[in-house]
Amino acid sequence: MAVEISGNTKGLAPSQTRAVQKLFQRTVDPTELVSLELAREMVSLAESLRRRVGVLINRQGRIEEVILGTREILYIPDLGRYRLGRARLRNLRLVFTDLSKDKEQAAIPFDVYADLERLRLDMVVSLRGAPNRVSMTYAYLVPARGSDTAAAATEEVKDAGAFDANFLELIDSVEQSLASEVVQLSGNEVGAVLVGVYDSKDDDPETSMLELRELARTAGVKVIDEIVQKRRIDPKTFIGSGKLQELVLRCLRSGAEVLIFDAELKPSQWRSITNSTELKVLDRSMLILDIFAQRAQSSDGRLQVELAQLKYNLPRLVEKDAGLSRLSGGIGGRGPGETKLELGRRRIRDRIAELEQRLSKVRESRDFRRGRRRENQLQLVSIVGYTNVGKSTLFNLLTGSQVIAENKLFATLDPSQRRLFLPASEEEQASGKSGRTVIVSDTVGFIRKLPQELETAFRATLEELYDAALLVHVVDASDPDAVRKYTAVRKILDQMTLGDAPELVVCNKIDKTSDESVAILSRELQGIGVSASKKIGIAELLSRIDRLVPTVVRETQRVAE
């Protein structure tokens, strides 16, 4: 049991400190809101010390914290170690003394009502001394019913000794009413609130939020609520301190455990937000990294994802910050001559150096395989495109493979290579020859705002593109945002100095949209329409590949990093 007094202990005499510490020895019957003996002792202490006295009582009737304030204010300590329970309540009630003699003044100040909502306390109870008795005012949360303001019910009791209601029954009814606000989740589902903040330069928040929603679904997160704002980005909290508090309350009411921002938060912004809430806080890059960590199957892929995560989290590793521990469980312990922070950072840097060395060997292995492919006079055809446009489905159809193909973002992370036997041309058929053989590579999908750490980590994977004789650029013909996503991929290819590489645009999923839309998109992108799932247009695709891939091996000079 804790024996350290929280709050304003300055100026206390040793005898006064001992008197306050005796409160830790008091217990309350679990069915009582507060015992008359404890109420009298707290009022007496408050009057003698001329400062507010408060206690936090758990549902077993044990006093967990004793708090001292000023005459007007009581500062509640951090309650992070007391986890939220059923109906998202803290399983703690705050009992405090009110030294005001003004009967017209509210017994429970506004800031205490705010703490009731913000900290999700079971109840708050205000005690006032009166001749021959102690009066009591208590408040508890009620469903907000969509309101953004705190909702609480308040009851007054003239004589605390005459209060005979059963606290456990009362709090049970409170929890049942609050449970209507909490979104029901199944199994291991995690509820999240998505947050999009866009300045005037962002012209399409809806598209960006739709993509964030798909990323959340792919990561196995249930989206409970979405908040979109058009405003200037706050340099400290990204969304503004007032809006952040409102956002946290909405999460607590609905039962959401995760906040996901549609942006890459700066380390200082991320720390400010995590220091303001116990919720897990992710930005867009963290979410993508989490998906990559789930999806990576090969040892190469896992190494690349771990490297990207370590590089991204290193600037966010700060002293006494619980936020990172909610993401990765924390790193390191205390060592000789080093603080936990310094040791954690050093271990991360050592691990980064080790991973980079291992990935350099992966690059050498890929170089060896490329050399063997050149010796065998085999051309490489790489399938590229935005994530979830059907690249893996097309790859499976062309090569008879069974790589993972799901209606989720980043279903494929580990590149696959298979032989593709092209049909013989008329001349080859006339001379009795068979068609050519090429190697087809299925690559990881691109996405807007891809974390720089992932681009760097997957450079060894994407280096295959430099040796490709043809890039088959797949777009989703049924997606209204197809042109924008095509442009986003082209921008990334240009950054990789692959803008001049031979390209064949393939408008996939034509079975899910109208012929007119397919014709317009095909003309705009100068591509051909296919449906990998329905096997439509595949013969024309193979013929185009055969015509565009050179018959003589062309030595391609790999672009230096």
Side-chain angles (χ1 to χ4, degrees), residues 478-560:
S478 65
D479 187 351
D481 200 34
V483 175
R484 189 191 298 267
K485 291 180 177 178
Y486 168 83
T487 304
V489 175
R490 288 297 312 173
K491 183 178 180 180
I492 296 174
L493 292 174
D494 288 341
Q495 291 172 352
M496 297 174 62
T497 65
L498 286 166
D500 296 330
E503 178 187 67
L504 171 61
V505 178
V506 176
C507 302
N508 191 25
K509 304 183 184 181
I510 61 173
D511 57 306
K512 295 184 178 181
T513 187
S514 66
D515 294 341
E516 182 182 0
S517 298
V518 173
I520 294 173
L521 183 64
S522 298
R523 281 198 303 269
E524 184 171 357
L525 302 182
Q526 299 181 352
I528 61 172
V530 305
S531 172
S533 60
K534 301 296 183 181
K535 301 181 181 180
I536 301 173
I538 303 304
E540 172 66 15
L541 173 60
L542 292 174
S543 177
R544 288 284 192 99
I545 292 175
D546 188 40
R547 290 202 303 269
L548 291 173
V549 173
T551 55
V552 179
V553 175
R554 176 173 53 86
E555 291 295 335
T556 55
Q557 183 178 4
R558 195 179 74 190
V559 179

Coordinates of all heavy atoms in Angstrom, one line a residue, residues 478-560:
S478 N -11.8 0.3 -61.6 CA -13.0 0.6 -60.9 C -12.8 1.6 -59.8 O -13.8 2.0 -59.2 CB -13.5 -0.7 -60.3 OG -12.6 -1.2 -59.3
D479 N -11.6 2.1 -59.6 CA -11.4 3.1 -58.6 C -11.5 4.5 -59.2 O -10.8 4.9 -60.1 CB -9.9 2.9 -58.1 CG -9.6 3.8 -56.9 OD1 -10.4 4.7 -56.5 OD2 -8.5 3.6 -56.3
P480 N -12.4 5.3 -58.6 CA -12.6 6.7 -59.1 C -11.3 7.5 -59.0 O -11.1 8.5 -59.7 CB -13.7 7.3 -58.2 CG -14.4 6.1 -57.6 CD -13.3 5.0 -57.5
D481 N -10.4 7.1 -58.1 CA -9.1 7.8 -57.9 C -8.0 7.2 -58.6 O -6.8 7.3 -58.3 CB -8.8 7.8 -56.4 CG -7.9 8.9 -56.0 OD1 -7.9 10.0 -56.6 OD2 -7.1 8.7 -55.1
A482 N -8.3 6.4 -59.7 CA -7.2 5.6 -60.4 C -6.1 6.5 -61.0 O -4.9 6.2 -60.9 CB -7.9 4.8 -61.5
V483 N -6.5 7.6 -61.6 CA -5.5 8.5 -62.2 C -4.6 9.1 -61.2 O -3.4 9.2 -61.4 CB -6.2 9.6 -63.1 CG1 -5.1 10.5 -63.6 CG2 -7.0 9.0 -64.2
R484 N -5.1 9.5 -60.1 CA -4.3 10.1 -59.0 C -3.3 9.1 -58.5 O -2.2 9.4 -58.2 CB -5.2 10.7 -57.9 CG -4.5 11.5 -56.9 CD -5.4 11.8 -55.7 NE -6.5 12.5 -56.1 CZ -6.6 13.9 -56.0 NH1 -5.6 14.6 -55.6 NH2 -7.7 14.5 -56.4
K485 N -3.8 7.9 -58.3 CA -2.9 6.8 -57.8 C -1.8 6.4 -58.8 O -0.7 6.1 -58.4 CB -3.7 5.6 -57.3 CG -4.6 5.9 -56.1 CD -5.4 4.6 -55.7 CE -6.2 4.9 -54.4 NZ -7.0 3.8 -54.0
Y486 N -2.2 6.4 -60.1 CA -1.2 6.2 -61.1 C -0.1 7.2 -61.1 O 1.1 6.9 -61.2 CB -1.9 6.2 -62.5 CG -1.0 6.2 -63.7 CD1 -0.4 5.0 -64.1 CD2 -0.6 7.4 -64.3 CE1 0.5 5.1 -65.2 CE2 0.2 7.4 -65.4 CZ 0.8 6.3 -65.8 OH 1.7 6.3 -66.8
T487 N -0.6 8.5 -60.9 CA 0.4 9.6 -60.9 C 1.3 9.5 -59.6 O 2.5 9.8 -59.7 CB -0.4 10.9 -60.8 OG1 -1.2 11.0 -62.0 CG2 0.6 12.1 -60.8
A488 N 0.7 9.0 -58.5 CA 1.5 8.9 -57.3 C 2.6 7.8 -57.5 O 3.8 8.0 -57.1 CB 0.6 8.5 -56.1
V489 N 2.3 6.7 -58.2 CA 3.3 5.7 -58.5 C 4.4 6.2 -59.4 O 5.6 6.0 -59.2 CB 2.6 4.4 -59.0 CG1 3.7 3.4 -59.4 CG2 1.7 3.8 -58.0
R490 N 3.9 6.9 -60.4 CA 4.9 7.5 -61.4 C 5.9 8.4 -60.7 O 7.1 8.5 -61.0 CB 4.2 8.3 -62.5 CG 3.4 7.4 -63.5 CD 4.3 6.5 -64.3 NE 5.5 7.2 -64.8 CZ 6.5 6.6 -65.4 NH1 6.5 5.3 -65.6 NH2 7.5 7.3 -65.9
K491 N 5.4 9.2 -59.7 CA 6.2 10.1 -59.0 C 7.3 9.3 -58.2 O 8.5 9.7 -58.2 CB 5.4 10.9 -58.0 CG 6.2 12.0 -57.2 CD 5.3 12.8 -56.3 CE 6.1 13.8 -55.6 NZ 5.2 14.7 -54.7
I492 N 6.9 8.2 -57.6 CA 7.9 7.4 -56.9 C 8.9 6.8 -57.8 O 10.1 6.7 -57.6 CB 7.2 6.3 -56.1 CG1 6.3 6.9 -55.0 CG2 8.2 5.4 -55.4 CD1 5.4 5.9 -54.2
L493 N 8.4 6.3 -59.0 CA 9.3 5.7 -60.0 C 10.3 6.8 -60.5 O 11.5 6.5 -60.7 CB 8.5 5.2 -61.1 CG 7.7 3.9 -60.8 CD1 6.9 3.5 -62.0 CD2 8.6 2.8 -60.4
D494 N 9.8 8.0 -60.7 CA 10.7 9.1 -61.1 C 11.8 9.4 -60.0 O 13.0 9.6 -60.4 CB 9.9 10.4 -61.3 CG 9.1 10.3 -62.6 OD1 9.4 9.5 -63.4 OD2 8.1 11.1 -62.7
Q495 N 11.4 9.3 -58.7 CA 12.4 9.5 -57.7 C 13.4 8.4 -57.6 O 14.5 8.7 -57.2 CB 11.6 9.6 -56.3 CG 10.7 10.8 -56.1 CD 9.9 10.7 -54.9 OE1 9.8 9.7 -54.2 NE2 9.2 11.8 -54.5
M496 N 13.0 7.3 -58.1 CA 14.0 6.1 -58.2 C 14.7 6.1 -59.5 O 15.4 5.2 -59.8 CB 13.2 4.8 -58.0 CG 12.5 4.6 -56.7 SD 11.5 3.1 -56.6 CE 12.8 1.9 -56.9
T497 N 14.6 7.2 -60.3 CA 15.2 7.3 -61.6 C 14.8 6.2 -62.6 O 15.6 5.8 -63.4 CB 16.8 7.4 -61.5 OG1 17.2 6.1 -61.0 CG2 17.2 8.5 -60.6
L498 N 13.5 5.8 -62.4 CA 13.0 4.8 -63.3 C 11.9 5.4 -64.2 O 11.1 4.7 -64.8 CB 12.4 3.6 -62.5 CG 13.4 2.7 -61.8 CD1 12.7 1.8 -60.8 CD2 14.0 1.8 -62.9
G499 N 11.9 6.7 -64.3 CA 10.8 7.4 -65.1 C 10.9 7.0 -66.6 O 9.9 7.1 -67.3
D500 N 12.1 6.7 -67.1 CA 12.2 6.4 -68.5 C 12.1 4.9 -68.8 O 12.3 4.5 -70.0 CB 13.6 7.0 -69.0 CG 13.6 8.5 -68.9 OD1 12.5 9.1 -69.0 OD2 14.7 9.0 -68.7
A501 N 11.9 4.1 -67.8 CA 11.8 2.6 -68.1 C 10.6 2.3 -68.9 O 9.6 2.9 -68.8 CB 11.7 1.9 -66.7
P502 N 10.7 1.3 -69.8 CA 9.6 0.9 -70.7 C 8.4 0.5 -69.8 O 8.6 -0.2 -68.8 CB 10.1 -0.3 -71.4 CG 11.6 -0.1 -71.4 CD 11.9 0.5 -70.1
E503 N 7.2 0.9 -70.1 CA 6.0 0.7 -69.3 C 4.8 0.3 -70.1 O 4.6 0.8 -71.2 CB 5.7 2.0 -68.5 CG 4.5 1.9 -67.6 CD 4.1 3.3 -67.0 OE1 3.7 4.1 -67.8 OE2 4.2 3.4 -65.8
L504 N 4.1 -0.7 -69.6 CA 2.8 -1.1 -70.1 C 1.8 -0.9 -69.0 O 1.8 -1.5 -68.0 CB 2.9 -2.6 -70.6 CG 1.5 -3.2 -71.0 CD1 0.9 -2.5 -72.2 CD2 1.7 -4.7 -71.3
V505 N 0.8 0.0 -69.3 CA -0.3 0.3 -68.3 C -1.4 -0.7 -68.5 O -1.9 -0.9 -69.6 CB -0.8 1.7 -68.5 CG1 -1.9 1.9 -67.5 CG2 0.3 2.7 -68.2
V506 N -1.8 -1.4 -67.4 CA -2.8 -2.4 -67.5 C -4.0 -1.9 -66.6 O -3.8 -1.8 -65.3 CB -2.3 -3.8 -67.0 CG1 -3.4 -4.8 -66.9 CG2 -1.2 -4.3 -67.9
C507 N -5.1 -1.7 -67.1 CA -6.3 -1.3 -66.4 C -7.0 -2.5 -65.9 O -7.8 -3.1 -66.7 CB -7.2 -0.4 -67.2 SG -6.3 1.1 -67.8
N508 N -6.8 -2.9 -64.7 CA -7.4 -4.1 -64.2 C -8.8 -3.9 -63.6 O -9.2 -2.8 -63.4 CB -6.5 -4.7 -63.1 CG -6.8 -6.1 -62.6 OD1 -7.4 -6.8 -63.4 ND2 -6.5 -6.4 -61.4
K509 N -9.5 -5.0 -63.4 CA -10.9 -5.0 -62.8 C -11.9 -4.3 -63.7 O -12.8 -3.6 -63.2 CB -10.8 -4.3 -61.4 CG -9.9 -4.9 -60.4 CD -9.9 -4.3 -59.0 CE -8.9 -4.8 -58.1 NZ -8.9 -4.2 -56.7
I510 N -11.8 -4.5 -65.0 CA -12.7 -3.9 -65.9 C -14.1 -4.5 -65.7 O -15.1 -3.9 -66.2 CB -12.3 -4.0 -67.4 CG1 -12.1 -5.5 -67.8 CG2 -10.9 -3.3 -67.6 CD1 -11.8 -5.7 -69.2
D511 N -14.2 -5.6 -65.1 CA -15.5 -6.2 -64.9 C -16.3 -5.5 -63.8 O -17.5 -5.8 -63.7 CB -15.4 -7.7 -64.5 CG -14.5 -7.9 -63.3 OD1 -13.4 -7.4 -63.3 OD2 -15.0 -8.5 -62.3
K512 N -15.7 -4.6 -63.1 CA -16.4 -4.0 -62.0 C -16.8 -2.5 -62.3 O -17.2 -1.8 -61.4 CB -15.5 -4.0 -60.7 CG -15.2 -5.4 -60.2 CD -14.4 -5.3 -58.9 CE -14.2 -6.7 -58.3 NZ -13.4 -6.7 -57.0
T513 N -16.7 -2.1 -63.6 CA -17.0 -0.8 -64.0 C -17.6 -0.8 -65.4 O -17.6 -1.9 -66.0 CB -15.8 0.2 -63.9 OG1 -16.2 1.5 -64.1 CG2 -14.7 -0.2 -64.9
S514 N -18.0 0.3 -65.9 CA -18.7 0.4 -67.2 C -17.6 0.4 -68.3 O -16.5 0.8 -68.1 CB -19.5 1.6 -67.3 OG -18.7 2.8 -67.2
D515 N -18.1 0.0 -69.5 CA -17.2 0.0 -70.7 C -16.7 1.4 -71.0 O -15.6 1.6 -71.4 CB -17.9 -0.6 -71.9 CG -18.2 -2.1 -71.7 OD1 -17.5 -2.7 -70.8 OD2 -19.0 -2.7 -72.4
E516 N -17.6 2.4 -70.8 CA -17.3 3.7 -71.1 C -16.2 4.2 -70.2 O -15.2 4.9 -70.7 CB -18.5 4.6 -70.9 CG -18.3 6.1 -71.3 CD -19.5 6.9 -71.1 OE1 -20.6 6.4 -70.6 OE2 -19.5 8.2 -71.3
S517 N -16.3 3.9 -68.9 CA -15.2 4.3 -68.0 C -13.9 3.7 -68.3 O -12.8 4.3 -68.2 CB -15.6 4.0 -66.5 OG -16.8 4.6 -66.1
V518 N -13.9 2.4 -68.7 CA -12.7 1.7 -69.1 C -12.1 2.4 -70.3 O -10.8 2.6 -70.4 CB -13.0 0.2 -69.3 CG1 -11.7 -0.5 -69.9 CG2 -13.4 -0.5 -68.1
A519 N -12.9 2.7 -71.3 CA -12.4 3.3 -72.5 C -11.7 4.7 -72.2 O -10.7 5.0 -72.8 CB -13.5 3.5 -73.5
I520 N -12.4 5.5 -71.4 CA -11.8 6.8 -71.1 C -10.5 6.7 -70.3 O -9.5 7.3 -70.7 CB -12.8 7.6 -70.2 CG1 -14.1 7.9 -71.0 CG2 -12.2 8.9 -69.7 CD1 -15.2 8.6 -70.2
L521 N -10.4 5.7 -69.4 CA -9.2 5.5 -68.6 C -8.1 5.0 -69.5 O -6.9 5.4 -69.4 CB -9.5 4.6 -67.4 CG -8.3 4.4 -66.5 CD1 -7.9 5.7 -65.8 CD2 -8.7 3.3 -65.4
S522 N -8.4 4.1 -70.4 CA -7.4 3.4 -71.2 C -6.8 4.5 -72.2 O -5.6 4.5 -72.5 CB -8.0 2.3 -72.0 OG -8.5 1.3 -71.2
R523 N -7.7 5.4 -72.7 CA -7.2 6.4 -73.6 C -6.3 7.4 -72.8 O -5.2 7.8 -73.3 CB -8.4 7.2 -74.2 CG -9.0 6.5 -75.3 CD -9.8 7.5 -76.2 NE -10.8 8.2 -75.3 CZ -12.1 7.7 -75.1 NH1 -12.5 6.6 -75.7 NH2 -12.9 8.4 -74.4
E524 N -6.7 7.8 -71.6 CA -5.9 8.7 -70.8 C -4.6 8.2 -70.4 O -3.6 8.9 -70.4 CB -6.7 9.2 -69.6 CG -6.1 10.3 -68.8 CD -7.0 10.8 -67.7 OE1 -8.1 10.4 -67.6 OE2 -6.5 11.7 -66.9
L525 N -4.5 6.9 -70.0 CA -3.3 6.3 -69.6 C -2.6 5.5 -70.7 O -1.5 5.0 -70.4 CB -3.5 5.4 -68.4 CG -4.2 6.1 -67.1 CD1 -4.3 5.1 -66.0 CD2 -3.4 7.3 -66.7
Q526 N -3.2 5.4 -71.8 CA -2.6 4.7 -73.0 C -2.4 3.2 -72.5 O -1.3 2.7 -72.7 CB -1.4 5.3 -73.5 CG -1.6 6.7 -74.0 CD -0.3 7.4 -74.5 OE1 0.8 6.8 -74.4 NE2 -0.4 8.5 -75.2
G527 N -3.4 2.6 -71.9 CA -3.2 1.3 -71.4 C -4.2 0.3 -72.1 O -5.0 0.7 -72.9
I528 N -4.2 -0.9 -71.6 CA -5.2 -1.9 -72.1 C -6.0 -2.4 -70.9 O -5.5 -2.4 -69.7 CB -4.5 -3.1 -72.7 CG1 -3.5 -3.8 -71.7 CG2 -3.7 -2.7 -74.0 CD1 -3.0 -5.1 -72.3
G529 N -7.3 -2.8 -71.2 CA -8.1 -3.3 -70.1 C -8.1 -4.8 -69.9 O -8.2 -5.5 -70.9
V530 N -8.1 -5.2 -68.7 CA -8.1 -6.6 -68.4 C -8.9 -6.9 -67.1 O -9.2 -5.9 -66.3 CB -6.7 -7.3 -68.2 CG1 -5.8 -7.0 -69.4 CG2 -6.0 -6.8 -66.9
S531 N -9.2 -8.1 -66.8 CA -9.8 -8.5 -65.6 C -9.1 -9.8 -65.1 O -9.3 -10.9 -65.7 CB -11.3 -8.7 -65.6 OG -11.8 -9.3 -64.4
A532 N -8.2 -9.7 -64.2 CA -7.4 -10.8 -63.7 C -8.3 -11.9 -63.1 O -8.1 -13.1 -63.2 CB -6.3 -10.4 -62.8
S533 N -9.3 -11.4 -62.4 CA -10.2 -12.4 -61.7 C -11.1 -13.1 -62.7 O -11.5 -14.3 -62.4 CB -11.0 -11.7 -60.6 OG -11.9 -10.7 -61.2
K534 N -11.5 -12.4 -63.7 CA -12.4 -13.1 -64.7 C -11.7 -13.6 -66.0 O -12.3 -14.1 -66.9 CB -13.5 -12.0 -65.2 CG -14.4 -11.5 -64.0 CD -15.2 -12.6 -63.4 CE -16.1 -12.0 -62.3 NZ -16.9 -13.0 -61.7
K535 N -10.4 -13.4 -66.0 CA -9.5 -13.8 -67.1 C -9.9 -13.2 -68.4 O -10.0 -13.8 -69.5 CB -9.6 -15.4 -67.2 CG -9.1 -16.1 -66.0 CD -9.1 -17.6 -66.2 CE -8.7 -18.3 -64.9 NZ -8.7 -19.8 -65.0
I536 N -10.2 -11.9 -68.4 CA -10.6 -11.1 -69.6 C -9.4 -10.3 -70.1 O -8.7 -9.7 -69.3 CB -11.8 -10.2 -69.3 CG1 -13.0 -11.0 -68.8 CG2 -12.1 -9.4 -70.5 CD1 -14.1 -10.1 -68.3
G537 N -9.1 -10.3 -71.4 CA -8.1 -9.5 -72.0 C -6.7 -10.1 -71.7 O -5.7 -9.3 -72.0
I538 N -6.5 -11.3 -71.3 CA -5.2 -11.8 -71.0 C -4.4 -12.1 -72.2 O -3.1 -11.9 -72.3 CB -5.3 -13.1 -70.1 CG1 -6.1 -12.7 -68.8 CG2 -3.9 -13.6 -69.7 CD1 -5.5 -11.6 -68.0
A539 N -5.0 -12.6 -73.3 CA -4.3 -12.9 -74.5 C -3.7 -11.6 -75.1 O -2.5 -11.6 -75.5 CB -5.3 -13.5 -75.5
E540 N -4.4 -10.5 -75.1 CA -3.9 -9.2 -75.6 C -2.7 -8.8 -74.7 O -1.7 -8.2 -75.2 CB -5.0 -8.2 -75.6 CG -4.5 -6.8 -75.9 CD -4.0 -6.6 -77.3 OE1 -4.2 -7.5 -78.1 OE2 -3.3 -5.6 -77.5
L541 N -2.8 -9.0 -73.4 CA -1.8 -8.6 -72.5 C -0.5 -9.4 -72.8 O 0.6 -8.8 -72.9 CB -2.2 -8.8 -71.0 CG -1.1 -8.7 -69.9 CD1 -0.6 -7.2 -69.9 CD2 -1.7 -9.0 -68.6
L542 N -0.6 -10.7 -73.0 CA 0.6 -11.5 -73.3 C 1.2 -11.1 -74.6 O 2.4 -11.0 -74.7 CB 0.2 -13.0 -73.3 CG -0.2 -13.6 -71.9 CD1 -0.7 -15.0 -72.1 CD2 1.0 -13.5 -71.0
S543 N 0.4 -10.7 -75.6 CA 0.9 -10.3 -76.9 C 1.6 -9.0 -76.7 O 2.7 -8.8 -77.3 CB -0.3 -10.2 -77.8 OG 0.1 -9.7 -79.1
R544 N 1.1 -8.1 -75.9 CA 1.8 -6.8 -75.7 C 3.1 -7.0 -75.0 O 4.1 -6.3 -75.4 CB 0.9 -5.9 -74.9 CG -0.3 -5.3 -75.6 CD 0.0 -4.2 -76.5 NE -1.2 -3.5 -77.0 CZ -1.6 -2.4 -76.5 NH1 -0.9 -1.8 -75.5 NH2 -2.7 -1.8 -77.0
I545 N 3.1 -7.8 -74.0 CA 4.4 -8.1 -73.3 C 5.4 -8.7 -74.3 O 6.6 -8.3 -74.3 CB 4.2 -9.1 -72.1 CG1 3.3 -8.4 -71.0 CG2 5.5 -9.5 -71.5 CD1 2.9 -9.3 -69.9
D546 N 5.0 -9.6 -75.1 CA 5.9 -10.2 -76.1 C 6.5 -9.2 -77.0 O 7.7 -9.2 -77.4 CB 5.2 -11.3 -76.9 CG 6.1 -12.1 -77.7 OD1 7.2 -12.4 -77.3 OD2 5.7 -12.5 -78.9
R547 N 5.6 -8.2 -77.5 CA 6.1 -7.2 -78.4 C 7.0 -6.2 -77.7 O 8.0 -5.7 -78.4 CB 4.9 -6.5 -79.0 CG 4.1 -7.3 -80.0 CD 3.3 -6.5 -81.0 NE 2.5 -5.5 -80.3 CZ 1.2 -5.8 -80.0 NH1 0.7 -7.0 -80.3 NH2 0.4 -4.9 -79.4
L548 N 6.8 -5.9 -76.5 CA 7.5 -4.8 -75.8 C 8.8 -5.3 -75.2 O 9.8 -4.5 -75.0 CB 6.6 -4.1 -74.7 CG 5.5 -3.3 -75.2 CD1 4.6 -2.9 -74.1 CD2 6.0 -2.1 -76.0
V549 N 8.9 -6.5 -74.8 CA 10.1 -7.0 -74.2 C 11.1 -7.3 -75.3 O 10.8 -8.1 -76.2 CB 9.9 -8.3 -73.4 CG1 11.2 -8.9 -72.9 CG2 9.0 -8.0 -72.2
P550 N 12.3 -6.7 -75.3 CA 13.3 -7.0 -76.4 C 13.8 -8.4 -76.4 O 13.9 -9.1 -75.4 CB 14.5 -6.0 -76.0 CG 14.3 -5.7 -74.5 CD 12.8 -5.8 -74.3
T551 N 14.0 -8.9 -77.6 CA 14.5 -10.3 -77.8 C 15.9 -10.5 -77.4 O 16.4 -11.6 -77.1 CB 14.2 -10.8 -79.2 OG1 14.9 -9.9 -80.1 CG2 12.7 -10.8 -79.5
V552 N 16.7 -9.4 -77.5 CA 18.1 -9.5 -77.2 C 18.3 -8.9 -75.8 O 17.8 -7.8 -75.5 CB 19.0 -8.7 -78.2 CG1 20.4 -8.8 -77.9 CG2 18.7 -9.3 -79.6
V553 N 19.1 -9.6 -75.0 CA 19.3 -9.1 -73.6 C 20.0 -7.7 -73.7 O 21.0 -7.5 -74.3 CB 20.2 -10.1 -72.9 CG1 20.5 -9.5 -71.5 CG2 19.5 -11.4 -72.7
R554 N 19.4 -6.8 -73.1 CA 19.9 -5.4 -73.0 C 20.6 -5.2 -71.7 O 19.9 -5.3 -70.6 CB 18.7 -4.4 -73.2 CG 19.2 -2.9 -73.1 CD 18.0 -2.0 -73.4 NE 16.8 -2.3 -72.7 CZ 16.6 -1.8 -71.5 NH1 17.5 -1.0 -70.9 NH2 15.5 -2.1 -70.9
E555 N 21.9 -4.9 -71.7 CA 22.6 -4.6 -70.4 C 22.1 -3.3 -69.8 O 22.1 -2.3 -70.5 CB 24.1 -4.5 -70.7 CG 24.7 -5.8 -71.1 CD 24.7 -6.8 -70.0 OE1 24.6 -6.4 -68.8 OE2 24.7 -8.0 -70.3
T556 N 21.5 -3.4 -68.6 CA 21.0 -2.2 -67.9 C 22.0 -1.9 -66.8 O 22.4 -2.8 -66.0 CB 19.6 -2.5 -67.3 OG1 19.7 -3.6 -66.5 CG2 18.6 -2.7 -68.5
Q557 N 22.3 -0.7 -66.8 CA 23.2 -0.2 -65.7 C 22.4 0.2 -64.5 O 21.6 1.0 -64.6 CB 24.0 1.0 -66.2 CG 25.0 1.5 -65.2 CD 25.8 2.6 -65.7 OE1 25.6 3.1 -66.8 NE2 26.8 3.1 -64.9
R558 N 22.7 -0.5 -63.4 CA 22.0 -0.2 -62.2 C 22.3 1.2 -61.7 O 23.5 1.6 -61.6 CB 22.3 -1.2 -61.1 CG 21.3 -1.2 -59.9 CD 21.6 -2.2 -58.9 NE 22.8 -1.8 -58.2 CZ 23.4 -2.6 -57.3 NH1 23.1 -3.8 -57.1 NH2 24.5 -2.2 -56.7
V559 N 21.3 2.0 -61.4 CA 21.5 3.3 -60.9 C 22.1 3.3 -59.5 O 21.5 2.6 -58.6 CB 20.2 4.1 -60.9 CG1 20.4 5.5 -60.4 CG2 19.7 4.1 -62.4
A560 N 23.1 4.0 -59.3 CA 23.7 4.1 -57.9 C 22.7 4.7 -56.9 O 21.9 5.5 -57.3 CB 25.0 4.9 -58.0

